[in-house]
């Protein structure tokens, strides 16, 4: 009974703080109907992987299933009924009709894309409105409002003064709706394609892992791995967040899942509530910054750059290492600063756990291995899903509760499809913004405007772009904020000579980091709800743990060796850039954590902050200067400590 209340509490926290709204807990026949349709969608996506058909009809068919499901699975308002009402079923039926319409008249529709009929416009306008309502239900009202603003810009932009940088000739309703719904530049563009191919396959994989017991194993093995030191509780939380993120794919969900188990241990170890919340939130957000799954936006990067997803994973490898290096160093310093202690956890040695359940790691390794051997990410994740399904029958818990019997397999496949609904709806809605940008040329105009306001200075432009992405991420989910920023803000960086890979990875990291950024910091607020700490102090504690992730992306775009941090270039240059950046993260941890061989004073911390900035320039003379400043900080610290010990 206690366990059930605990799980419900965790679900409520995810519902409150996650960017995505909670789905209904459907009763009886509606649940059975949704399960059947979601199962069909999962099987269709899996079939499409091996027998791909034309791209645009598949995207249309995918949305024709997703949009009606969204109206059935999500409430019109918080606190509404779990059983869908007449309006929900009516909107679902209307969604099916307007989504099926372009499939029925597909050949004629494509031919008349620049001369739509009144029926084409009516169907397209209805689809757009239904999509915005589904988006409101799944991720809140802000993204639909942003989409409406872009629509107004496309319609009324012709009334702007001719000499304004953002002015254009203006477009009528027929032209705007056609650009949204009669080609591959709007609703049916790259973002929806990514949801219909990459993301649904990974949500299916995550659901199969979860139903096969992998989530519980990842938490248990993390607690077993670090058992006997005062730093162990913080390390355990970080490792558990990293592993569990492969299943959840959400920063808030990972934070809550780990926190509901780990907070009592952190409390017994002596962590203050706010610092414990900071560790939990940093672990949760790290899960969607890290290979092998990353976040949904990483798949869009692969499509925009026209590179393999494995290449994007390679881009993320060194930044991920630097992120976790910063977190682990901060944990070590806090363990000494707050005098935390080891906490015995009754999970035994990790080796029996690994021998018994270590097969859960196999599918994760399989994804990387297959992509390295040249398989597409689609097939790699499908094969990994099949492997996870087969290995579930090795489960030896009493009753084999995690074996994917036909009934449990159906539930897992249905959960994979319903799990993609918020992302798919968000991607389709974000596609309307991409359509406006393409139609009006807004991306190039906004890029030129940002560069002009920054005086053509790359550093000022990068700061402006980072702030813009963070502000955007406070209002809309990570995937949508990346898509919008890529088409609006990305051109500003590209105009100043930043390569597409560096620009998109810069935007990706700041889109993700919006979840731990003041003033909202969803993951930090969720963590504070678990620990009972002050929400704003928890937010700043989280910022301390994640600070390297805020600074390292600037090295992508501002330094001559920035590409090396994305593992691009000669191996010697890559290793040198990684080593110097690791040292920068270490001295930055001293600046924020306030500990070297004892408490660090203001002088040492200030010198270390300066050293970190100089080192991250990644050029010979600044690096040498940074080494000198870091050495001076150490000297000041040890001289001060000696004087305090021998007054």
């Amino acid at each position: 009974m206690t366990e059930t209340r605990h799980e419900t509490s965790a679900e409520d926290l995810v519902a409150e703080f996650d960017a995505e709204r909670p789905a209904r807990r459907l009763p009886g026949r509606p649940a059975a109907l949704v399960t059947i349709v979601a199962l069909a969608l999962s099987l269709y996506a899996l079939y499409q992987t091996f027998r791909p058909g034309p791209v645009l009809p598949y995207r249309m068919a995918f949305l024709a299933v997703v949009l009606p499901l969204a109206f059935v699975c999500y409430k019109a308002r918080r606190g509404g009924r779990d059983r869908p009402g007449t309006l929900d079923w009516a909107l679902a039926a209307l969604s099916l009709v307007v989504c099926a319409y372009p499939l029925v008249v597909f050949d004629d529709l494509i031919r008349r894309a620049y001369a739509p009929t009144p029926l084409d416009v009516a169907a397209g306008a209805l689809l757009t409105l239904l999509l915005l309502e589904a988006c409101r239900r799944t991720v809140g009202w802000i993204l639909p409002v942003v989409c409406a603003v872009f629509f107004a810009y496309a319609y009324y932009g012709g009334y702007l003064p001719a000499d304004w940088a953002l002015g254009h000739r203006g477009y009528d309703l027929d032209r705007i709706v056609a650009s949204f719904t009669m080609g591959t530049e709007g609703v049916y563009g790259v973002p929806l394609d990514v949801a219909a191919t990459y993301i649904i396959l990974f949500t299916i994989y995550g659901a199969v892992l979860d139903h096969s017991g992998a989530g519980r194993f990842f938490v248990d093995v993390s607690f077993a791995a670090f058992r006997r030191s005062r730093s162990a509780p913080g390390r355990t939380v970080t490792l558990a967040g990293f592993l569990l993120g492969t299943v959840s794919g959400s920063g808030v969900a990972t934070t809550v899942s780990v926190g509901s188990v780990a907070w009592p241990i952190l409390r017994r170890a002596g962590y203050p509530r706010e610092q414990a919340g900071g560790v939990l939130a940093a672990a949760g957000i790290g899960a969607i910054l890290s290979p092998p799954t990353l976040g949904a936006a990483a798949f869009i990067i692969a499509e925009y750059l026209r590179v393999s997803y494995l290449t994007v994973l390679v881009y993320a490898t060194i930044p991920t290492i630097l992120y976790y290096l910063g977190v682990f160093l901060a944990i070590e310093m806090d363990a000494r600063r707050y005098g935390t202690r080891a906490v015995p956890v009754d999970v035994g040695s990790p080796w029996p756990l690994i021998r018994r359940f270590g097969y859960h790691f196999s599918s994760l390794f399989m994804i990387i291995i297959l992509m390295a051997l040249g398989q597409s990410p689609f097939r790699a994740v499908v094969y990994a899903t099949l492997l996870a399904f087969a290995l579930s029958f090795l489960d030896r818990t009493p009753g084999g509760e995690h074996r994917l019997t036909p009934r449990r397999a159906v539930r897992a496949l249905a959960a994979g499809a319903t799990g993609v609904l918020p992302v798919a709806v968000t991607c389709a809605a974000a596609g309307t913004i991409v359509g406006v940008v393409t139609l009006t040329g807004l991306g190039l105009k906004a890029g030129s405007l940002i560069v002009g306001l920054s005086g053509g200075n790359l550093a000022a432009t990068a700061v402006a772009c980072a702030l813009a992405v963070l502000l955007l991420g406070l209002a809309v989910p990570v995937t949508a904020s990346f898509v919008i920023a890529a088409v609006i803000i990305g051109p500003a960086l590209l105009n100043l000579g930043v390569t597409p890979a560096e620009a998109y990875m810069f935007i990706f990291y700041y889109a993700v980091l919006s979840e731990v950024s003041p003033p909202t910091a969803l993951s930090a607020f969720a963590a504070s709800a678990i620990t009972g700490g002050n929400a704003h102090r928890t937010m700043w504690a989280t910022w301390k743990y994640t600070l390297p992730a805020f600074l390292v992306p600037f090295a992508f775009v501002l330094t001559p060796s920035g590409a090396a941090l994305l593992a691009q270039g000669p191996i010697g240059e890559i290793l040198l850039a990684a080593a110097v950046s690791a040292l920068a993260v270490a001295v930055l941890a001293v600046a924020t954590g306030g500990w070297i061989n004892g408490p660090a004073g203001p002088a040492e911390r200030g010198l270390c902050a300066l050293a970190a900035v100089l080192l991250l320039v990644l050029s010979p003379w600044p690096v040498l200067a940074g080494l000198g400043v870091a050495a001076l900080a150490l000297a000041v610290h040890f001289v001060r400590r000696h004087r305090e010990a021998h007054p």
Side-chain angles (χ1 to χ4, degrees), residues 591-619:
T592 57
W595 193 276
I596 300 178
N597 191 38
E604 300 103 285
R605 297 176 73 172
L607 288 170
C608 283
L610 175 60
V613 172
L614 290 170
L615 289 168
L616 283 174
V617 175
L618 297 180
S619 293

Side-chain angles (χ1 to χ4, degrees), residues 142 146 198 203 230 288 295 341 363 392 434 472 522 540 624:
I142 296 180
V146 172
Y198 292 98
T203 58
R230 58 184 175 184
I288 54 174
R341 52 194 174 273
S363 59
S392 72
V434 176
L472 184 62
L522 296 175
W540 289 111
L624 289 175

Side-chain angles (χ1 to χ4, degrees), residues 55-284:
V55 172
L56 187 54
Y58 172 65
R59 297 178 192 176
M60 291 175 170
F62 178 80
L63 189 61
V65 180
V66 163
L67 197 54
L69 278 178
F71 285 110
V72 175
C73 292
Y74 287 84
K75 302 173 185 177
R77 64 185 184 279
R78 287 183 182 270
R81 297 186 309 163
D82 279 329
R83 180 177 290 277
T86 303
L87 178 61
D88 301 313
W89 291 113
L91 292 175
L94 185 59
S95 299
L96 180 60
V97 171
V98 297
C99 288
Y101 170 76
L103 287 170
V104 174
V105 297
F106 182 78
D107 291 335
D108 292 335
L109 189 78
I110 297 303
R111 282 196 294 269
R112 60 178 184 248
Y114 288 96
T117 66
L119 185 57
D120 295 336
V121 175
L126 271 175
L127 172 59
T128 304
L129 292 173
L130 288 166
L131 186 60
L132 295 183
E133 167 58 14
C135 188
R136 184 194 66 80
R137 291 184 177 212
T138 54
V139 298
W141 59 269
I142 296 180
L143 181 57
V145 169
V146 172
C147 293
V149 169
F150 274 84
F151 178 88
Y153 170 73
Y155 190 79
Y156 293 107
Y159 294 102
L160 295 175
D163 57 343
W164 280 29
L166 298 182
H168 60 82
R169 65 184 182 86
Y171 298 90
D172 60 19
L173 179 65
D174 291 8
R175 184 72 181 91
I176 296 171
V177 170
S179 71
F180 283 178
T181 60
M182 297 178 68
T184 58
E185 296 295 339
V187 170
Y188 301 115
V190 169
L192 181 63
D193 182 62
V194 168
T197 52
Y198 292 98
I199 298 173
I200 188 171
L201 296 178
F202 273 86
T203 58
I204 293 170
Y205 169 64
V208 168
L209 272 184
D210 188 36
H211 281 72
S212 66
R216 182 71 239 180
F217 164 69
F218 290 153
V219 172
D220 287 345
V221 78
S222 300
F223 279 97
F226 302 112
R227 291 182 301 156
R228 298 295 182 186
S229 74
R230 58 184 175 184
S231 305
R235 295 178 191 166
T236 297
V237 168
T238 305
L239 178 59
F242 172 72
L243 294 174
L244 199 60
T246 62
V247 178
S248 76
S250 162
V252 171
T254 304
T255 298
V256 171
S257 299
V258 175
S260 59
V261 177
W263 162 233
I265 296 171
L266 292 171
R267 180 175 55 205
R268 286 162 55 199
Y271 271 89
R273 294 177 184 273
E274 289 77 20
Q275 299 301 320
V279 174
L280 292 170

Side-chain angles (χ1 to χ4, degrees), residues 1 25 94-95 149 165 218 381 443 475 531 588 623:
M1 183 67 69
R25 296 172 185 171
L94 185 59
S95 299
V149 169
F218 290 153
V381 73
T531 65
L588 183 63
V623 167

Side-chain angles (χ1 to χ4, degrees), residues 205 209 217-218 242-243 246 292 310 313 354 358-373 380 383-384 387 391:
Y205 169 64
L209 272 184
F217 164 69
F218 290 153
F242 172 72
L243 294 174
T246 62
L310 181 61
L313 295 186
I354 292 174
Y359 57 82
H360 288 301
F361 288 123
S362 303
S363 59
L364 293 173
F365 292 131
M366 189 178 189
I367 293 174
I368 304 299
I369 292 169
L370 288 177
M371 287 195 292
L373 293 176
Y383 289 139
L387 178 63
L391 292 176

Side-chain angles (χ1 to χ4, degrees), residues 422-447:
V423 178
V425 170
T426 298
C427 286
T432 64
I433 295 173
V434 176
V436 170
V437 171
T438 304
L439 182 66
T440 62
L442 177 61
L444 294 176
K445 295 173 183 176

